Amino acid sequence: MTDVVLPCLNEAAALPDLLARMPAGYRAIVADNGSTDGSREVARSFGARVVTVEQRGYGAAVHAGLLAADPADGVVCVMDADGSFDPAQLPRLADPVRAGHVDLACGRRRPTGSGAWPLHARLGNAVLARRIRRETGVAVHDIAPIRAARRDALLGLGLRDRRFGYPLELLLAAARDGWRIAELDVAYHPRAAGTRSKVTGTVRGTLRAVADMRAVLAR
């Protein structure tokens, strides 16, 4: 059984459809980061394991989910809980890791419509991805919010960021350690109605995420 960590903050409107479409052999771990909209109860009603994460921040939620994941399978996936990704794509990322072809499989977002990925968020992402390519030589074009890797290897990186800088720190640390990193195109849909992005939903959210990532780059 492959665990899928879903960092979650007020995603009750997205969870029913997302969890219902989880592929066979994949189990959801909802790392709840202080939801007030009933997300925990919704997740449990659909059979997901719920981990309550007191420390606020995307990285804190992902890290707690990784700790809760079963080490038996070895491979773990991480995916946003807002309905913007189709869980059916998870095996495309997990299978190359399980087969030993790559160490980290990342999704490169391909928007399915004009509203899926606001321009300000795309520009911020492109700037950071360009810097990663320049500094590490790793050909990535997205600071991927959907990815797969081996659980113990991820924990072994010793990532410290507990906010929005976490995915950037992951890419930098993996490149530093010589991981084989593959980037695969994944469809990126508008998030579920009734939910709001903590990053791309507002310019302020995007600027906060970029600031966290710049702090990682400055270390």
Side-chain angles (χ1 to χ4, degrees), residues 39-83:
S39 289
R40 291 184 294 275
E41 292 73 20
V42 171
R44 290 190 183 101
S45 73
F46 279 83
R49 180 180 178 185
V50 176
V51 177
T52 299
V53 186
E54 299 294 342
Q55 182 181 1
R56 282 297 185 97
Y58 173 86
V62 172
H63 182 67
L66 290 177
L67 292 175
D70 187 349
D73 181 81
V75 176
V76 65
C77 299
V78 177
M79 182 177 70
D80 284 353
D82 59 10

Side-chain angles (χ1 to χ4, degrees), residues 5-30:
V5 175
L6 301 169
C8 174
L9 176 58
N10 294 330
E11 308 289 6
L15 287 172
D17 183 62
L18 179 67
L19 295 174
R21 292 187 292 118
M22 200 64 61
Y26 287 74
R27 176 176 51 197
I29 296 178
V30 174

